[in-house]
Amino acid sequence: MSVNPMAYEAQFFGFTPQTCMLRVYIAFQDYLFEMMLVVERVILKKLESFPDCKISPFQIRKSTEKFLLFMKERFDHLFSKMEQMLLQLVLNIPKNVLLPEDKVQEQYPYSKEQFQTLQSEIDQLQKQYKVEVSARQALLAELEEQKMVQAELEKTLQWFDGLENICREHGTSNLKESFAFLTQTSKKLQDILKEVEKKNKRLQKSNLHVV
């Protein structure tokens, strides 16, 4: 069998020419073996008509194997010549023939150096793309964070609006005055709470004396 890979032919046919020849060889060989078995059975059948014949089936098998070996050697010799002819004249694509899918290489030829330069540019573009994707993801994350901050600011503004409305209801429109009003109100509430706690303690003491 030929050792030439014949890759261009494999691209065109969809299989390597060597694979094709191997299958043809196996098919012929199988046919040869089957034919010899048929011949052997015919001989054994004929021998049944001659009871006095001293040739045994074992001897027939030995003779069949020898003849098969002889035929196989002849077949291998002839097949080798046929294979060489088919690989050179039938399953071979001439060097000056270009397949349709490779026409673009003829229109835009590239040297090895140009191809390497183009490959380097592609690698650089891929790296830039990855950097841009990472930057975009970072910007999206920052945008989400800004949305959360904006939502918190809106809540704060709503709180201030509510505070301003409460202050207006109490006759206070200035923010500074509003905080002063809240401070005074808080102080009054604390004083009331302390007074309530004192009264609560007095009541508890009174209840103890009564008991």
Side-chain angles (χ1 to χ4, degrees), residues 81-98:
K81 292 183 178 181
M82 183 179 70
E83 177 191 19
Q84 185 177 3
M85 182 190 67
L86 291 175
L87 291 178
Q88 290 179 355
L89 303 178
V90 179
L91 299 174
N92 180 53
I93 297 178
K95 299 297 181 183
N96 61 335
V97 174
L98 194 65

Side-chain angles (χ1 to χ4, degrees), residues 32-165:
L32 178 62
F33 291 163
E34 291 177 2
M35 183 185 68
M36 294 307 301
L37 289 175
V38 171
V39 171
E40 183 182 61
R41 285 198 295 269
V42 170
I43 294 173
L44 291 173
K45 189 71 175 177
K46 291 291 183 181
L47 287 177
E48 293 177 356
S49 303
F50 301 95
D52 297 334
C53 183
K54 296 182 179 180
I55 301 176
S56 65
F58 178 75
Q59 290 175 320
I60 296 296
R61 172 52 61 93
K62 282 293 184 181
S63 299
T64 302
E65 290 176 353
K66 288 181 181 180
F67 185 69
L68 177 62
L69 182 60
F70 169 77
M71 291 293 293
K72 188 176 182 304
E73 289 176 354
R74 296 294 299 168
F75 171 74
D76 289 344
H77 177 70
L78 293 174
F79 188 86
S80 178
K81 292 183 178 181
M82 183 179 70
E83 177 191 19
Q84 185 177 3
M85 182 190 67
L86 291 175
L87 291 178
Q88 290 179 355
L89 303 178
V90 179
L91 299 174
N92 180 53
I93 297 178
K95 299 297 181 183
N96 61 335
V97 174
L98 194 65
L99 296 180
E101 58 266 28
D102 295 330
K103 288 290 185 181
V104 65
Q105 297 181 9
E106 185 179 32
Q107 297 175 358
Y108 307 100
Y110 277 91
S111 64
K112 184 178 180 180
E113 292 75 14
Q114 290 174 324
F115 177 78
Q116 290 177 348
T117 301
L118 182 62
Q119 188 65 42
S120 299
E121 292 178 358
I122 292 174
D123 293 340
Q124 187 65 27
L125 288 173
Q126 288 178 341
K127 290 179 181 178
Q128 292 178 0
Y129 173 75
K130 290 180 180 179
V131 171
E132 290 178 0
V133 169
S134 299
R136 183 174 180 275
Q137 291 176 347
L139 288 174
L140 290 174
E142 185 178 353
L143 181 61
E144 289 296 324
E145 185 176 353
Q146 289 178 357
K147 288 181 179 179
M148 294 174 61
V149 172
Q150 184 178 0
E152 292 297 327
L153 287 174
E154 289 177 354
K155 290 181 181 179
T156 304
L157 290 175
Q158 291 176 359
W159 182 82
F160 274 110
D161 289 339
L163 178 62
E164 186 176 359
N165 292 331

Side-chain angles (χ1 to χ4, degrees), residues 5-25:
M6 303 183 74
Y8 207 51
E9 287 77 4
Q11 178 181 338
F12 176 73
F13 292 114
F15 56 85
T16 61
Q18 291 89 340
T19 302
C20 176
M21 297 308 303
L22 178 61
R23 290 178 178 175
V24 172
Y25 175 82

